[in-house]
Amino acid sequence: MTIGHNAKRSGAEVLADMFAGYGVTHVFMVPAVLRRTFAEMERRTKIARVHCHGEKSAAYMADGYARASGKPGICMAQVIGALNLAAGLRDAYLAHSPVIAMTGGRDPKTKFRKVYQEIDDVPAFEPVTKMNATIDDVARIPDMVRQAFRTATTGAPGPVHLQFRGNEGQLDLEEAEIEALFETQFAHVPPFRPRPEAAQVKVALDLLQKAERPIIVAGGGVRASGARAELVALAEALQIPVATSLNGKDTIPATNPLSVGVVGSYSRESANRAVNRADLVCFIGTETGGMTTHFWAVPAIGTPAIQIDIEPESLGRNYPLQASVLGDAKAVLLAMLAQLDKTSAGKRAAWIKEIAALRNDWAAKYKSILESDAVPVHPARICNELSKAVPDDAIVVVDTGHAGMWMGGMYDLRSPTQSYIRSAGHLGWAFPAGIGAKAACPERPVVVFTGDAGFWYHVAEVETAVRWNIPSVTLVNNNGGGNQSKRGFDRAYGGSQTEKARELWTYRAMNFAKLAEDMGALGIRVEKAADIAPALDRALAAKRPAVIVVATDIEALAPTAVA
Ligand SMILES: Cc1ncc(C[n+]2csc(CCOP(=O)(O)OP(=O)(O)O)c2C)c(N)n1
Ligand SMILES: [Mg+2]
C-alpha cells in the first residue's frame, strides 16, 4: 500500500517500527532471516532478539509467549528452517494461540532453478495456520503485517505465516513510499467482544435455570476471552458445577467447591463422573474435541447440551444442541449474569451435594499417591507439592503425555490469578514454551512441568534461557524413559513386554541438574518428596534459569480416564 508522502523507507525500518507499535517485546528465531530488520530493531526499539538453537523451539517460545500474555508471539526462520518452524506451529494451531511466523522464501527471478536449500515451503504452512501468505513487494509490508496481527487475534485466535521474498527475506532491504502502520487493538486477544443475540441468550439461560443437574464444561475460549471471573460468578449464582478442558484448566480454581476438575481423557475422575451424571451440559469456548470428551463418551452423544462459542462453525459440531449462543464468552456470560434468576439455584441442592461427594471420593481414592513418601518419588506427590508451593501469581506450563495426565488430573490451582497452559499434544513443547511465557511476563513466576523425554527434545535451549536471562523454572519428572509408552508396549507384546522391549522407550541415566549447571543455569537434583517445595523456593528465588530434576518411579502409571 503506497502512502504517497514521497519519503522512501526500507521495509526493515517499517517492520521494526511496526513491531514496536504492536508492543512486541521479544522475537524468537534462528538466523539468518530479515537481517536488516534485526539491525533496525537494535537501532530503533528495545525488542529482544532471542536467538535460539532450533526453529521448532523458537515457535514454541513464541507460542508460550502468546498463551501467557495474550499478545501475538513472533518467530522467524530463513528458507531452510521454514518447515522446522511450521512443525512448531502445529501446537499453536491446535491450541488457538496467536503466533505470527515469518520466513524467507523464493524469489521469482530464480525459482525452479535449484537454488541452494530451496523448496516451496508455503503449502506446508497451510494446515497449521489461519492465514498463509507471501509478501513479494516491499510496499505490501504495512498492510500484510497488519492483516497478520488482525487474523491471529480475532475470532478463535491462531497462527499466521508470512513469507518474505528472498531466502533470508531480503525484501526488507528494499525501499518504497511506506510507513509503519499499526492498530494496537490487534496487539492483544481479544480485540473484539462480539455480543450475542438476546433471544439466543434467553433460550440458553432458561434451559440452564430449568435443569436440575446441569454442568458447565469451560474451555480455552473462556481463558482467551478473559472471562474467568464471569464464569465463576454465573456458576456460583446458579449453583452449577464446572468441569474444564485441559486448555481451560485455569478458568476456575480447584479450591472452588463447584470445580470438579479436568474432563475427558487426561482428566480427573470426579469431572468425568460429574459430566456423565448431568442432565444438561453447557459447553463454553471448547471445541468439544476428542481429548475433552474422551472421544465423545463424556458426555455421551445425546445428552442434552447447549453451547457458547465465538466461532459459528463450532456450534453443534459434535453434540446436537438445544440452544447455541454465538459470541465472546465474557459478553455472553455478562448478558446471562444481567438477567439470571438466582432463586432457580435452590432446586440444585441435591446435585451440589452429589458433586461434593464426588470431590471427596476423588481425594480419598488418590490420597495415598498424592501424599506418598516413596523413593523414587511418585509423580502424583510432585503434583501435590506443586499445588501447595507454586505461587498464586505463577504461570504453570505443562508438557503432554504423562505430564499432561499427572498435572491435568492431580494439580490444583489454588488462586484465580494463577495461569495454566499446556501442550496441545507435542512432547517437548513445555520447556521452550516456558521460556516464552517468562519472556512475556517477566514479573510472574513461571513453573514448567515436563517428563525427561519431553525435556530432552529442546534441552539446548537451557543455554538460550541463560544467555537471554529468562529465568523460568523447569521441573523434570525424571524416570529415565517415556513411561507413558509402557502400557502401549505391554499391549503390543501381547500383555507383558520383554525386558529388551524397554529399548523402545527408556534412556541412559542422565544427570540433568549437572547438564543445566554446565550450561549456566541453576540445577537441583531432588530424591525425596519432602525436598521438592524447598527446591522450588530456591529456584524461584535464584532469579536465573533453573532446572529441578526429581528422580521418580518408572513403574508409576497415571490413572486412565473413566467413561
Ligand atoms: C511430538 C510427539 N512425539 C511423540 C509423542 C508420543 N508420546 C507421548 S508421551 C511420550 C513419552 C513421554 O515421556 P516423558 O516426557 O519422559 O514422560 P513420562 O511418560 O515418562 O512421564 C511420547 C513419546 C508425542 N506426544 N509428541
Ligand atoms: Mg519419563
Side-chain angles (χ1 to χ4, degrees):
M1 212 184 289
T2 306
I3 299 301
H5 51 39
N6 296 324
K8 289 203 166 180
R9 300 189 62 202
S10 72
E13 289 172 284
V14 166
L15 189 53
D17 286 350
M18 288 183 74
F19 284 148
Y22 277 102
V24 172
T25 59
H26 293 71
V27 171
F28 305 93
M29 55 90 194
V30 176
V33 54
L34 296 169
R35 291 186 206 240
R36 180 64 67 81
T37 302
F38 281 103
E40 293 298 344
M41 277 191 241
E42 182 179 328
R43 286 192 197 107
R44 316 169 78 86
T45 78
K46 292 195 165 63
I47 298 169
R49 301 157 301 165
V50 183
H51 158 212
C52 313
H53 289 286
E55 293 85 1
K56 178 151 59 73
S57 45
Y60 290 167
M61 288 181 204
D63 185 2
Y65 177 102
R67 290 196 221 178
S69 65
K71 296 178 355 179
I74 315 287
C75 54
M76 298 185 186
Q78 73 174 66
V79 79
I80 192 64
L83 296 199
N84 297 346
L85 201 67
L89 291 187
R90 182 174 164 146
D91 215 82
Y93 185 78
L94 294 170
H96 292 292
S97 173
V99 174
I100 300 178
M102 298 183 168
T103 62
R106 303 201 293 184
D107 192 319
K109 286 199 188 96
T110 52
K111 59 183 184 180
F112 309 120
R113 296 189 65 191
K114 298 291 173 195
V115 170
Y116 179 52
Q117 301 177 321
E118 191 177 284
I119 62 165
D120 179 8
D121 297 309
V122 174
F125 283 88
E126 205 54 34
V128 293
T129 53
K130 287 175 78 182
M131 168 187 166
N132 179 24
T134 58
I135 308 183
D136 307 303
D137 185 327
V138 68
R140 297 297 306 279
I141 287 178
D143 76 292
M144 292 300 284
V145 172
R146 269 165 37 245
Q147 186 64 17
F149 276 87
R150 203 177 293 124
T151 306
T153 54
T154 48
V160 165
H161 172 229
L162 290 178
Q163 188 194 70
F164 290 71
R165 172 164 55 76
N167 64 335
E168 299 177 358
Q170 292 91 330
L171 180 73
D172 69 343
L173 297 168
E174 296 176 17
E175 296 187 339
E177 289 173 24
I178 47 177
E179 63 188 2
L181 302 175
F182 44 85
E183 300 150 323
T184 50
Q185 179 176 7
F186 303 102
H188 203 281
V189 170
F192 296 110
R193 295 200 177 277
R195 297 224 193 137
E197 288 179 18
Q200 292 175 346
V201 173
K202 189 170 180 334
V203 176
L205 189 58
D206 282 350
L207 286 164
L208 273 176
Q209 292 181 157
K210 273 194 204 112
E212 280 180 18
R213 309 161 67 79
I215 196 160
I216 292 170
V217 175
V222 176
R223 77 184 306 277
S225 166
R228 296 203 232 178
E230 292 75 14
L231 172 77
V232 172
L234 183 85
E236 285 177 344
L238 293 181
Q239 289 295 292
I240 301 177
V242 179
T244 74
S245 71
L246 260 189
N247 202 18
K249 183 170 164 82
D250 64 5
T251 57
I252 183 167
T255 44
N256 189 312
L258 293 170
S259 161
V260 291
V262 173
V263 65
S265 298
Y266 293 179
S267 58
R268 181 175 293 196
E269 207 171 303
S270 49
N272 285 19
R273 293 202 191 285
V275 169
N276 268 349
R277 290 180 195 191
D279 63 2
L280 177 71
V281 179
C282 175
F283 296 107
I284 312 180
T286 163
E287 293 185 313
T288 67
M291 172 59 83
T292 301
T293 62
H294 199 38
F295 292 87
W296 312 288
V298 187
I301 305 259
T303 305
I306 60 185
Q307 193 173 354
I308 298 165
D309 207 277
I310 199 164
E311 292 290 344
E313 70 204 36
S314 288
L315 295 168
R317 177 182 285 123
N318 289 321
Y319 289 88
L321 300 176
Q322 301 200 337
S324 51
V325 186
L326 180 65
D328 165 67
K330 187 174 193 159
V332 175
L333 288 164
L334 283 172
M336 288 182 162
L337 284 166
Q339 52 185 297
L340 58 77
D341 170 16
K342 265 193 163 185
T343 60
S344 78
K347 68 164 85 73
R348 287 183 277 280
W351 177 224
I352 295 305
K353 241 174 119 180
E354 209 173 314
I355 294 298
L358 288 175
R359 282 169 54 100
N360 289 340
D361 289 352
W362 179 83
K365 181 167 175 186
Y366 292 104
K367 187 176 176 0
S368 65
I369 58 170
L370 286 163
E371 295 177 4
S372 164
D373 284 322
V375 178
V377 174
H378 196 291
R381 175 72 190 272
I382 305 180
C383 299
N384 192 16
E385 290 301 303
L386 291 178
S387 298
K388 290 183 278 184
V390 169
D392 281 355
D393 60 340
I395 302 168
V396 179
V397 184
V398 180
D399 217 52
T400 190
H402 261 173
M405 293 171 84
W406 289 125
M407 287 292 278
M410 307 260 169
Y411 178 73
D412 276 350
L413 282 100
R414 293 179 179 272
S415 129
T417 52
Q418 221 178 64
S419 303
Y420 184 100
I421 58 179
R422 61 76 174 110
S423 165
H426 292 88
L427 193 65
W429 175 87
F431 170 57
I435 296 173
K438 185 68 186 174
C441 305
E443 70 293 346
R444 296 178 66 185
V446 169
V447 179
V448 175
F449 182 102
T450 176
D452 51 324
F455 189 56
W456 271 120
Y457 265 84
H458 305 107
V459 71
E461 305 299 354
V462 171
E463 191 274 341
T464 304
V466 171
R467 192 164 22 93
W468 285 93
N469 189 24
I470 304 174
S472 61
V473 173
T474 301
L475 185 147
V476 183
N477 166 23
N478 187 16
N479 51 19
N483 95 321
Q484 196 191 36
S485 299
K486 183 176 184 299
R487 281 193 184 106
F489 283 117
D490 279 344
R491 274 196 302 275
Y493 277 81
S496 168
Q497 56 186 292
T498 60
E499 199 43 45
K500 203 163 159 47
R502 292 192 165 225
E503 287 172 0
L504 300 170
W505 56 278
T506 58
Y507 307 112
R508 294 183 58 220
M510 183 68 205
N511 188 345
F512 288 112
K514 183 162 178 294
L515 188 71
E517 288 277 343
D518 284 349
M519 285 194 269
L522 172 64
I524 308 175
R525 191 177 151 80
V526 170
E527 286 172 3
K528 293 199 300 283
D531 294 337
I532 294 170
L536 184 69
D537 289 347
R538 206 183 127 206
L540 289 169
K543 306 281 180 219
R544 62 190 182 106
V547 177
I548 301 169
V549 186
V550 185
T552 56
D553 181 4
I554 196 158
E555 302 301 328
L557 299 180
T560 50
V562 297

